[in-house]
Amino acid sequence: MTKADSVDVISRPMQEYYHKQFGIKSEVVHICVDKPPSFAPHVKKKDELHIGHIGSLYSQGQFASFLRGIEAYAKKSKIKPVLKIIGGQPWLNQTFTANLAPSINLVLLGNISEEKAVKELAFCDFVYCAYPFSSSFRIFRQTSLPTKLSTY
């Protein structure tokens, strides 16, 4: 970093952080899609709730709480939750989810193109963005997350 003349960053807080830490000039660059992808009509069962997540999962404990929350809501509302994960973590698998929240249909999509990700997330009833609360992620929270979810 100290040898770079300039860098591209994704938020003003990141720009300020790099300038303060390294004295580097930077430009804020916002990710965008040239044109919205076309969507085929989706048919969704009325008793299903589709939830999307893209990116990293920072804490097994926090994600477990999220799963238990979905499970409780699904039981109370008599719906079948479908959780689509784009990206993810090596520890996330069907067994991890089934042990905590057996009613959730976990769909692991892995790393897919941005266009495919946008299509998958557009089908969801809501999109979740993991937020790391650990103090070790303080700088990351301030510099990287402000634009993450809005990008999708």
Side-chain angles (χ1 to χ4, degrees), residues 36-107:
S38 58
F39 297 101
H42 287 177
V43 177
K44 187 170 27 176
K45 296 177 183 174
K46 290 183 180 186
D47 66 342
E48 288 184 341
L49 176 70
H50 287 248
I51 304 149
H53 180 276
I54 187 164
S56 298
L57 297 166
Y58 304 100
S59 164
Q60 284 186 20
Q62 284 177 218
F63 190 65
S65 294
F66 178 65
L67 292 175
R68 286 190 291 271
I70 293 171
E71 181 88 355
Y73 178 78
K75 186 176 181 178
K76 182 179 178 182
S77 304
K78 297 182 172 70
I79 57 163
K80 298 173 188 164
V82 178
L83 177 58
K84 295 180 179 184
I85 303 286
I86 300 169
Q89 296 297 325
W91 51 262
L92 179 62
N93 55 43
Q94 299 291 343
T95 304
F96 179 84
T97 303
N99 288 335
L100 292 168
S103 75
I104 296 176
N105 176 11
L106 181 66
V107 180

Side-chain angles (χ1 to χ4, degrees), residues 100-148:
L100 292 168
S103 75
I104 296 176
N105 176 11
L106 181 66
V107 180
L108 298 171
L109 297 169
N111 294 314
I112 58 177
S113 72
E114 187 166 285
E115 184 176 346
K116 287 181 183 176
V118 169
K119 287 180 180 181
E120 289 291 340
L121 295 175
F123 183 69
C124 294
D125 297 297
F126 75 90
V127 179
Y128 169 72
C129 177
Y131 191 89
F133 291 97
S134 167
S135 61
S136 63
F137 284 100
R138 182 182 59 81
I139 293 170
F140 175 72
R141 284 193 306 270
Q142 295 170 346
T143 60
S144 296
L145 285 177
T147 60
K148 183 177 179 183

